[in-house]
């Protein structure tokens, strides 16, 4: 077999392959054997029909077609390996010549990973938010904890802001009660905004036994997005009572003996959270700077597939679970269809470029992923998916996604290498040394890299 490669553009090649007919022998034998098992000829036992009889009865062309279909993937793969191509997706194959007993010639056009030159990235500089925790932040955190330990006491009076009411709901659309439009015994804190628009005004001023009707747009269910007439009946009004902010509260709500110790711990936790956010912000901004430095051609077919995948996942999974159509989602977001298309395209391009660049860095820096790193990553992914580690690991293995996870970890490590060499300053002009937060830095690096790698997952799955 002989093959040659023609570069059509930076991301697409044409392979021209010439196969001597004798190299088709195994596929021809397999074709005769397969046809033998599928047909019957009077006078011959099944599976024992001579080749010449098959040619006479069914035509040599049918045999050649079966043999070529069997052989093409093998010769294509061999040509790809000879040329050391890193292909993306499936090829477009065209048989240019097939002469029985002489030769098989074909061409295959396929997208390939572009050659990427990674320039010196040690001069990257980015600015991130300073880590500042105010007394107000601490007070807000303690107040949120206090809210969690609030108690309720039924009262015989009209409902007010902040009260907890127990209500029965009935929703009608065009005068008909919805099958999924009835709910009883729903607990709702007035002013929380956690139920339907308009319910606060409807229940305020009602005592137990009182009811009101209001109009609201349904957020979910069979009539999501439609205007409904909602009847709400209050069955109980309860007053929320917050515990006193003192040492007794600290002992109730935490392992600390005093309120001051609780506040000090809250401050430390808030600082840790903001440091983690700062590290994540550094990853994202360094990544953006890195992408600006590198010229990355994007294969059009890959980009088209990625855009379609993103749209499908949004429309049929994310929005479907919320009971929203794409049109309604765009209306809520205040976006036009054209703006949505442009944003989706830009995000897809960024995702693909990110994966190409970080994968090239993995090779350049000779980064490897050990079993411990893969296991830790699997545990994090399992937690975010809502599955147990065992269930998630089994699903990953069954779906052949282990290489995908290895790639995510490797890209996270590659991004961490770039961040380590970058200059990161906060808004106060202070240089941030992320190496002091090794564990947080690694997780943040992996997280941001995995997110963008996930956005280009269609490319990963279509390789080979």
């Amino acid at each position: 077999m002989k093959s040659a490669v023609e570069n059509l553009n930076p991301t697409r090649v044409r392979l021209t392959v010439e196969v001597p007919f004798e190299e088709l022998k195994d596929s021809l034998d397999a074709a005769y054997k397969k046809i033998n098992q599928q047909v019957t000829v009077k006078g011959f036992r099944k599976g024992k029909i001579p080749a010449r009889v098959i040619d006479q009865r069914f035509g040599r062309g049918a045999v050649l077609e079966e043999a070529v279909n069997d052989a093409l993937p093998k010769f294509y793969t061999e040509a790809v390996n000879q040329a050391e191509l890193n292909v993306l997706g499936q090829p477009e194959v065209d048989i240019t010549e097939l002469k029985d007993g002489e030769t098989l010639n074909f061409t295959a056009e396929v997208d390939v990973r572009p050659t990427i030159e990674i320039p010196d990235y040690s001069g990257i500089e980015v600015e991130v938010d300073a880590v500042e925790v105010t007394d107000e932040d601490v007070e807000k955190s303690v107040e949120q904890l206090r809210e969690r330990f609030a108690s309720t006491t039924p009262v015989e009076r009209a409902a007010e802001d902040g009260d907890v009411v127990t209500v029965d709901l009935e929703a009608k659309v065009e005068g008909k009660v919805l099958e999924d439009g009835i709910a009883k015994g729903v607990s709702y804190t007035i002013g929380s905004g956690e139920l339907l628009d308009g319910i606060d005004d409807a229940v305020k001023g009602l005592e137990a036994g009182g009811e009101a009707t209001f109009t609201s747009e349904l957020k979910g269910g069979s009539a999501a997005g439609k205007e409904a007439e909602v009847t709400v009946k209050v069955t109980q009004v309860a007053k929320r009572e917050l515990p006193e902010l003192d040492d007794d509260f600290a002992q109730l709500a935490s392992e600390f003996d005093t309120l001051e110790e609780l506040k000090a711990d809250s401050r430390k936790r808030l600082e840790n959270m903001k440091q983690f956010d700062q590290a994540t912000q550094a990853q994202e901004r360094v990544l953006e700077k890195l992408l600006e430095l590198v010229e990355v051609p994007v294969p059009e077919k890959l980009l088209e597939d990625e855009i379609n995948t993103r749209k499908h996942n949004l429309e049929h999974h994310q929005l479907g679970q919320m009971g929203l159509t794409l049109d309604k989602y765009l209306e809520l977001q205040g976006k036009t269809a054209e703006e949505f298309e442009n944003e989706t395209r830009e995000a897809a391009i960024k995702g693909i470029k990110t994966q190409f660049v970080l994968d090239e860095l993995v090779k350049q820096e000779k980064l490897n992923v050990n079993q411990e790193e893969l296991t830790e990553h699997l545990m994090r992914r399992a937690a975010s998916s809502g599955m147990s580690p065992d269930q998630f690991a089994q699903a990953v293995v069954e779906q052949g996604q282990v290489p995908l996870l290895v790639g995510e970890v490797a890209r996270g490590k590659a991004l961490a290498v770039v961040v380590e060499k970058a200059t990161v300053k906060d808004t106060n002009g202070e240089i941030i040394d992320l190496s002091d937060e090794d564990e947080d830095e690694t997780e943040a690096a992996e997280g941001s890299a995995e997110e963008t790698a996930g956005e280009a997952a269609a490319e990963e799955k279509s390789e080979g």
Side-chain angles (χ1 to χ4, degrees):
M1 185 197 82
K2 294 193 303 182
S3 64
V5 180
E6 177 187 357
N7 293 314
L8 302 178
N9 60 48
T11 62
R12 194 166 180 82
V13 299
R14 179 188 291 124
L15 285 162
T16 301
V17 184
E18 298 178 9
V19 183
F21 206 81
E22 56 266 23
E23 294 186 31
L24 284 171
K25 183 179 184 307
D26 290 344
S27 293
L28 280 168
D29 291 345
Y32 279 116
K33 185 175 181 180
K34 182 177 180 179
I35 294 173
N36 241 308
Q37 299 299 322
Q38 295 174 336
V39 302
T40 56
V41 174
K42 189 175 181 179
F44 296 96
R45 285 183 297 163
K46 196 173 185 67
K48 299 295 183 181
I49 308 170
R52 58 179 175 78
V53 175
I54 290 176
D55 288 347
Q56 291 169 355
R57 289 292 186 93
F58 306 102
R60 174 70 167 176
V63 179
L64 287 175
E65 182 179 355
E66 182 67 38
V68 169
N69 288 338
D70 174 74
L72 276 178
K74 179 183 68 174
F75 291 122
Y76 165 73
T77 301
E78 189 177 333
V80 166
N81 292 337
Q82 281 182 2
E84 298 181 343
L85 298 175
N86 198 339
V87 299
L88 304 169
Q90 298 303 312
E92 294 180 5
V93 177
D94 181 28
I95 297 173
T96 55
E97 186 175 25
L98 175 59
K99 289 186 177 179
D100 194 0
E102 295 184 30
T103 186
L104 163 66
N105 298 336
F106 68 92
T107 62
E109 288 190 17
V110 66
D111 286 334
V112 293
R113 278 191 177 237
T115 300
I116 299 174
E117 295 292 332
I118 306 291
D120 179 17
Y121 49 80
S122 60
I124 289 178
E125 293 186 10
V126 298
E127 183 181 74
V128 295
D129 295 335
V131 173
E132 295 175 345
V133 177
T134 65
D135 290 343
E136 185 180 346
D137 293 332
V138 175
E139 294 298 334
K140 183 178 179 181
S141 175
V142 173
E143 189 62 28
Q144 289 172 343
L145 182 61
R146 188 184 179 205
E147 292 276 349
R148 287 169 50 193
F149 284 85
S151 59
T152 57
T153 304
V155 292
E156 295 183 3
R157 61 164 173 76
E160 302 172 355
D161 268 328
D163 284 344
V164 178
V165 290
T166 304
V167 298
D168 296 338
L169 298 165
E170 181 184 87
K172 294 180 180 178
V173 173
E174 297 177 352
K176 294 183 179 179
V177 178
L178 301 171
E179 288 186 9
D180 55 354
I182 298 176
K184 294 184 179 295
V186 177
S187 181
Y188 174 67
T189 301
I190 300 176
S192 66
E194 294 173 353
L195 271 179
L196 297 168
D197 293 338
I199 192 171
D200 288 341
D201 291 335
V203 298
K204 275 191 293 187
L206 295 181
E207 297 183 19
E211 66 177 59
T213 300
F214 64 100
T215 301
S216 183
E217 184 179 295
L218 299 179
K219 296 179 180 178
S222 61
K226 292 185 178 180
E227 288 288 326
E229 182 183 87
V230 182
T231 300
V232 56
K233 181 178 181 179
V234 177
T235 59
Q236 178 180 278
V237 179
K239 180 182 179 181
R240 296 181 77 248
E241 296 179 338
L242 299 175
E244 291 293 327
L245 277 178
D246 53 22
D247 292 347
D248 289 339
F249 169 69
Q251 293 166 23
L252 170 69
S254 71
E255 71 271 29
F256 301 106
D257 294 326
T258 69
L259 183 60
E260 287 308 310
E261 288 176 326
L262 173 60
K263 288 183 176 180
D265 180 68
S266 294
R267 183 179 295 275
K268 182 62 178 174
R269 284 189 298 103
L270 289 171
E271 286 175 350
N272 288 340
M273 289 169 58
K274 291 200 173 187
Q275 284 172 348
F276 182 82
D277 290 343
Q278 187 186 65
T280 303
Q281 193 178 63
Q283 312 300 327
E284 293 169 352
R285 294 185 178 179
V286 167
L287 176 59
E288 287 178 4
K289 290 281 189 179
L290 177 64
L291 293 181
E292 290 173 6
L293 293 176
V294 187
E295 185 68 31
V296 186
V298 176
E300 277 302 319
K301 180 65 167 63
L302 175 61
L303 177 58
E304 180 185 338
D305 290 345
E306 176 61 11
I307 290 172
N308 290 336
T309 297
R310 286 167 179 266
K311 289 180 180 177
H312 178 85
N313 289 341
L314 175 65
E315 193 165 1
H316 298 282
H317 297 295
Q318 296 163 268
L319 297 183
Q321 291 175 357
M322 294 187 288
L324 292 175
T325 63
L326 180 59
D327 288 341
K328 187 61 183 177
Y329 167 75
L330 294 179
E331 181 185 329
L332 293 172
Q333 293 290 314
K335 295 177 182 176
T336 65
E338 184 180 1
E339 288 172 336
F340 170 71
E341 291 285 342
N342 291 337
E343 288 180 7
T344 304
R345 182 179 179 84
E346 288 173 8
I349 290 172
K350 182 180 178 182
I352 294 171
K353 285 185 175 181
T354 295
Q355 189 164 12
F356 283 172
V357 171
L358 293 182
D359 283 347
E360 185 63 32
L361 271 169
V362 169
K363 289 194 297 181
Q364 182 174 302
E365 299 291 341
K366 297 181 173 60
L367 299 175
N368 296 309
V369 176
N370 60 42
Q371 186 60 48
E372 182 180 358
E373 291 168 333
L374 182 59
T375 300
E376 288 176 356
H377 178 60
L378 187 147
M379 299 282 280
R380 285 193 295 271
R381 285 289 303 272
S384 64
S385 71
M387 301 169 68
S388 73
D390 287 344
Q391 289 174 323
F392 187 79
Q394 182 177 352
V396 165
V397 172
E398 288 177 353
Q399 296 171 18
Q401 297 296 303
V402 174
L404 180 62
L405 261 65
V406 171
E408 290 174 355
V409 178
R411 285 187 283 276
K413 294 178 72 172
L415 184 52
V417 168
V418 181
V419 172
E420 187 179 347
K421 294 184 179 181
T423 299
V424 181
K425 293 182 180 179
D426 67 16
T427 49
N428 294 329
E430 298 290 331
I431 292 181
I432 306 302
D433 184 5
L434 294 175
S435 62
D436 290 339
E437 302 290 338
D438 288 342
E439 185 175 345
D440 284 351
E441 177 195 352
T442 300
E443 290 188 8
E446 288 184 356
S448 55
E450 288 155 20
E451 182 179 348
T452 46
E455 292 170 353
E459 178 272 335
E460 177 84 11
K461 292 175 185 176
S462 66
E463 278 193 54

